[in-house]
Amino acid sequence: MCGIIGYTGFEQAAPIILDGLTKIEYRGYDSAGIAINANGKINLVKTVGRVQALYDRTHDGKDMPGVCGIGHTRWGTHGAISERNAHPHMSQNGKFILAHNGIVENYTRLKADLLAKGVVFKSDTDTEVVVQLLEANYTGDFKEAVIKTVAMLEGTFALMITCADYPGTLYAVKQNAPVILGLGEKENLVASDVTCLISRTKNVIYMEDGEMAEITTEGIKLFDFAGNPKEYEVKTVDWDIASSEKGGYEHFMIKEIFEQPQAVRSAISPRIKDGKINFGEKSLTAEDLKKFNRIIITACGSAYYAGLAGKFAIEKLCGIPVQTELASELRYNESGCIDEHTLVIAVSQSGETLDTLSAIKDCKACGATVMSIVNVVESSIARASDFVAYTYAGPEIAVATTKGYSTQVAVLYLFAVYTAAALGRINSGEYTKLVSEINAIPEKMETCIEMNGGIECMTPLFDKAEHVFFIGRNTDWAVAMEGALKLKEISYIHAEAYAAGEMKHGTISLIEEGTPVIAVCSNMRLQDKTASNIIEVKARGAEVTMVGPKGCESEKQANHCIYIPEMRDVFAEIVTVIPLQMLAYYVAKARGCDIDKPRNLAKSVTVE
Ligand code: AGP
């Protein structure tokens, strides 16, 4: 996901914009740029690679005087990674400058019309079409040009624009990609992520789709796309800049792994009062829950694997069938089974994943009720849902999610027990025991972290491997998938997770002498079965590392052991995942990978 930031005030804009860009580097990007609107002209510097190159080329921004400007980090979708394709983009006459997050889906036709009028394009991007349209639509009125241009666009766009004829003025436009306005003291800001703003102000406005904002030092005016004024509500961000910094850790990822027990406490504690689970006044009631005959959990990546953990818990405790669907698939399957009796649970750390956002909009159109489990407050998925359960994990900076995942799982466990009680599927004694076990999860996580303080010494078993297999059954299979993703996405080693019982149906042919296999064995009900699968792969030459409680059957069969505390099966994933996260981290570190910003990845994927 691209990052955008804009500033207008009385201080020099360039250093503030550059600092804001560093705050969103974690989202992943391949090029960056900054533009300052001063003395009737636009000063523009763009680069491939890191924001540091902008600091170097502008002497920390000192070479770019002016109090109004915009900055951008690009994760390229249309056009190769190059300086010419980096944002911001300038109109042909140099009057307009624009940064964009999203995709303009009808850019090809619009570009053809402009080319026919003789416009000369400098880049291969969809974004440049918008800035050339602004020039074509401009008759001296900045706002009118924005209104005319936006009316011509289809797709997803968060736009940030400034015009050389309007010093000190920014326009922001929001359609299906986040835009947040920051109200400061004699200064105002706009960004795609709160992280850029909170060092200047915690007073923010979350723009809605279909809105545009005029931002000057005097204040902020909000309009709809037709230019009609709109009211807005100022909210206060409830976390501080320190929580989005490394705090002495070498990488954000290891910091966030160790933050998990506290993050899960933040997700659980507000929802358990006097031994009872409570999702707050705007939550699904027992009456609401009784009308559903199907639950679909939809998400992407790790959030999908968190959804699998929720599936096992809800099915086991509530006796309701739960389907987990990759959001990018759910959108296009024509099952026709979604209706007013369907509850869709969307899981997302960023709350901006376009596949998930689009999936829930389609489900709502079929009559489904949507509850979302998200971390970022007021994010697009949260605002598109009927009910929201925030995970309160705090800002997650590393691209590879850890506390984002575990807090999602925690909220799903809470929801499973809450629903089981609401539907009368468990008695009060079972309810009390389950609530107490959920309350004890953070402590179990802390124990697990302590038990694996030395896990880095196992790195040599994996860091030179070409392929690593993860196997597990039922809930262990779900967490094996998350473990495989963690290893893949930050160490770039090919890793795959298989249902342990499935290996013999084909995949076992891939096992050869020394192939590393990680067997996840926290599900005590199935430990004998998984132990026999360990024997199977070992017989073909695999070197097996088991992840399970001391004394489990697999301990006797494996070559190496990673120990975890014993847990109830349906609550095991949240603890079992921790050594898998730690192992992935240390293997990636041994391989010298860019752990917090893995290649090709973005923290939030706002394109289909
Ligand atoms: C996980 O480590 C990845 N960063 C990725 O799979 C992520 O979980 C996925 O893109 C979903 O993101 P979301 O939770 O913000 O929707």
Side-chain angles (χ1 to χ4, degrees):
M1 177 161 150
C2 304
I4 46 182
I5 174 167
Y7 172 86
T8 184
F10 287 84
E11 288 190 40
Q12 193 190 359
I16 293 168
I17 290 169
L18 291 173
D19 179 60
L21 291 178
T22 60
K23 298 287 188 303
I24 46 176
E25 286 193 282
Y26 74 91
R27 299 157 74 114
Y29 68 103
D30 43 52
S31 55
I34 178 172
I36 300 296
N37 180 359
N39 310 318
K41 69 181 185 57
I42 308 277
N43 185 356
L44 173 62
V45 176
K46 304 197 282 190
T47 184
V48 171
R50 297 292 182 213
V51 171
Q52 185 54 49
L54 292 178
Y55 274 98
D56 299 343
R57 286 177 52 182
T58 64
H59 293 97
D60 299 348
K62 295 186 185 65
D63 299 354
M64 301 184 84
V67 295
C68 173
I70 58 179
H72 186 273
T73 53
R74 177 178 185 247
W75 188 66
T77 53
H78 291 68
I81 297 167
S82 63
E83 193 165 310
R84 62 194 289 268
N85 287 333
H87 300 211
H89 287 281
M90 185 180 277
S91 61
Q92 202 169 236
N93 64 7
K95 274 192 188 294
F96 287 93
I97 198 82
L98 173 142
H100 167 222
N101 180 13
I103 292 180
V104 177
E105 292 178 355
N106 61 333
Y107 86 98
T108 310
R109 180 174 53 74
L110 295 170
K111 184 167 184 174
D113 294 346
L114 290 165
L115 286 167
K117 290 174 184 163
V119 174
V120 176
F121 282 82
K122 303 186 195 76
S123 79
D124 311 319
T125 64
D126 54 334
T127 303
E128 190 187 353
V129 168
V130 185
V131 77
Q132 301 301 1
L133 279 176
L134 282 165
E135 177 181 324
N137 291 325
Y138 182 59
T139 54
D141 184 318
F142 190 1
K143 181 182 167 189
E144 277 313 309
V146 175
I147 290 170
K148 277 185 205 161
T149 301
V150 167
M152 300 167 78
L153 305 182
E154 294 166 16
T156 58
F157 40 91
L159 303 175
M160 204 157 302
I161 312 161
T162 189
C163 173
D165 293 349
Y166 287 74
T169 300
L170 297 168
Y171 267 91
V173 178
K174 185 198 186 303
Q175 186 63 24
N176 274 336
V179 178
I180 301 136
L181 306 175
L183 289 90
E185 289 297 316
K186 298 192 189 128
E187 64 179 27
N188 290 304
L189 300 98
V190 48
S192 47
D193 189 315
V194 166
T195 321
C196 307
L197 303 175
I198 53 171
S199 60
R200 308 293 299 188
T201 179
K202 289 191 175 185
N203 299 318
V204 296
I205 299 164
Y206 295 92
M207 286 180 69
E208 301 273 1
D209 285 344
E211 288 183 341
M212 54 189 273
E214 180 188 275
I215 303 125
T216 64
T217 47
E218 282 73 55
I220 285 172
K221 292 177 186 163
L222 220 50
F223 307 95
D224 63 20
F225 279 1
N228 305 309
K230 284 196 74 178
E231 295 296 312
Y232 57 75
E233 183 188 355
V234 180
K235 301 202 170 178
T236 305
V237 177
D238 61 1
W239 47 268
D240 57 27
I241 194 72
S243 42
S244 64
E245 290 179 345
K246 278 185 197 164
Y249 285 93
E250 189 176 353
H251 298 98
F252 279 110
M253 183 175 177
I254 195 67
K255 174 189 174 213
E256 290 155 5
I257 287 172
F258 292 156
E259 280 179 342
Q260 289 183 111
Q262 187 45 46
V264 166
R265 262 190 204 95
S266 305
I268 288 173
S269 307
R271 297 183 168 103
I272 297 181
K273 287 199 175 26
D274 307 325
K276 297 280 184 255
I277 298 172
N278 183 326
F279 273 82
E281 65 285 345
K282 198 175 180 325
S283 60
L284 286 160
T285 62
E287 282 325 297
D288 293 329
L289 291 164
K290 284 174 182 147
K291 74 177 186 182
F292 302 123
N293 60 16
R294 164 196 293 265
I295 294 177
I296 295 175
I297 300 177
T298 191
C300 302
S302 291
Y304 175 78
Y305 300 137
L308 281 174
K311 166 190 168 66
F312 286 116
I314 296 168
E315 286 186 335
K316 174 134 188 187
L317 298 176
C318 306
I320 301 177
V322 179
Q323 217 176 311
T324 51
E325 291 283 352
L326 289 170
S328 55
E329 287 296 308
L330 177 60
R331 294 196 65 195
Y332 301 106
N333 78 25
E334 294 166 332
S335 66
C337 303
I338 297 171
D339 60 21
E340 65 279 10
H341 299 296
T342 307
L343 171 63
V344 173
I345 301 175
V347 184
S348 174
Q349 189 284 132
S350 65
E352 298 301 341
T353 300
L354 187 59
D355 284 328
T356 309
L357 177 61
S358 306
I360 62 174
K361 287 182 175 178
D362 293 352
C363 292
K364 284 187 76 168
C366 297
T369 297
V370 174
M371 166 180 151
S372 60
I373 297 175
V374 298
N375 188 33
V376 178
V377 173
E378 295 283 346
S379 52
S380 302
I381 289 171
R383 298 149 82 86
S385 302
D386 300 302
F387 301 94
V388 184
Y390 288 116
T391 56
Y392 304 125
E396 185 176 67
I397 307 303
V399 168
T401 186
T402 49
K403 65 177 184 173
Y405 165 89
S406 49
T407 50
Q408 290 162 359
V409 174
V411 173
L412 283 161
Y413 289 162
L414 279 168
F415 180 74
V417 177
Y418 170 81
T419 303
L423 300 178
R425 304 285 160 79
I426 54 175
N427 62 39
S428 60
E430 288 163 328
Y431 179 63
T432 303
K433 185 163 178 12
L434 288 163
V435 171
S436 141
E437 285 180 25
I438 290 181
N439 251 331
I441 284 175
E443 204 177 317
K444 290 275 191 176
M445 295 173 84
E446 280 160 351
T447 304
C448 187
I449 289 172
E450 280 155 28
M451 289 169 77
N452 288 283
I455 199 167
E456 187 171 6
C457 68
M458 302 191 87
T459 304
L461 293 173
F462 307 100
D463 64 356
K464 307 250 180 339
E466 202 184 337
H467 308 284
V468 177
F469 290 91
F470 290 70
I471 62 173
R473 287 175 174 261
N474 195 269
T475 51
D476 284 338
W477 178 33
V479 78
M481 284 188 256
E482 173 56 12
L485 177 58
K486 285 283 107 27
L487 185 64
K488 274 184 271 202
E489 66 177 328
I490 63 172
S491 75
Y492 312 147
I493 293 173
H494 173 243
E496 286 313 322
Y498 283 92
E502 190 58 15
M503 286 292 284
K504 58 185 177 296
H505 298 290
T507 325
I508 203 163
S509 68
L510 296 173
I511 301 294
E512 49 196 17
E513 195 55 38
T515 301
V517 173
I518 295 176
V520 184
C521 315
S522 66
N523 188 315
M524 298 308 280
R525 177 169 58 91
L526 300 169
Q527 58 166 311
D528 293 349
K529 295 290 181 191
T530 308
S532 60
N533 296 131
I534 291 175
I535 293 167
E536 277 166 16
V537 292
K538 274 188 73 178
R540 275 85 181 171
E543 183 159 356
V544 179
T545 301
M546 80 98 195
V547 180
K550 282 188 191 308
C552 71
E553 191 54 34
S554 298
E555 181 184 37
K556 300 170 196 157
Q557 310 305 335
N559 301 95
H560 313 284
C561 296
I562 293 173
Y563 292 112
I564 56 173
E566 192 166 335
M567 297 283 291
R568 178 192 289 261
D569 296 349
V570 284
F571 293 159
E573 294 98 332
I574 201 166
V575 169
T576 312
V577 74
I578 293 172
L580 302 182
Q581 295 165 339
M582 295 169 78
L583 200 56
Y585 172 78
Y586 288 115
V587 169
K589 191 176 171 197
R591 292 166 62 94
C593 295
D594 188 348
I595 290 171
D596 287 333
K597 298 192 283 287
R599 67 187 181 201
N600 306 336
L601 288 180
K603 181 61 184 171
S604 167
V605 183
T606 57
V607 292
E608 275 195 294

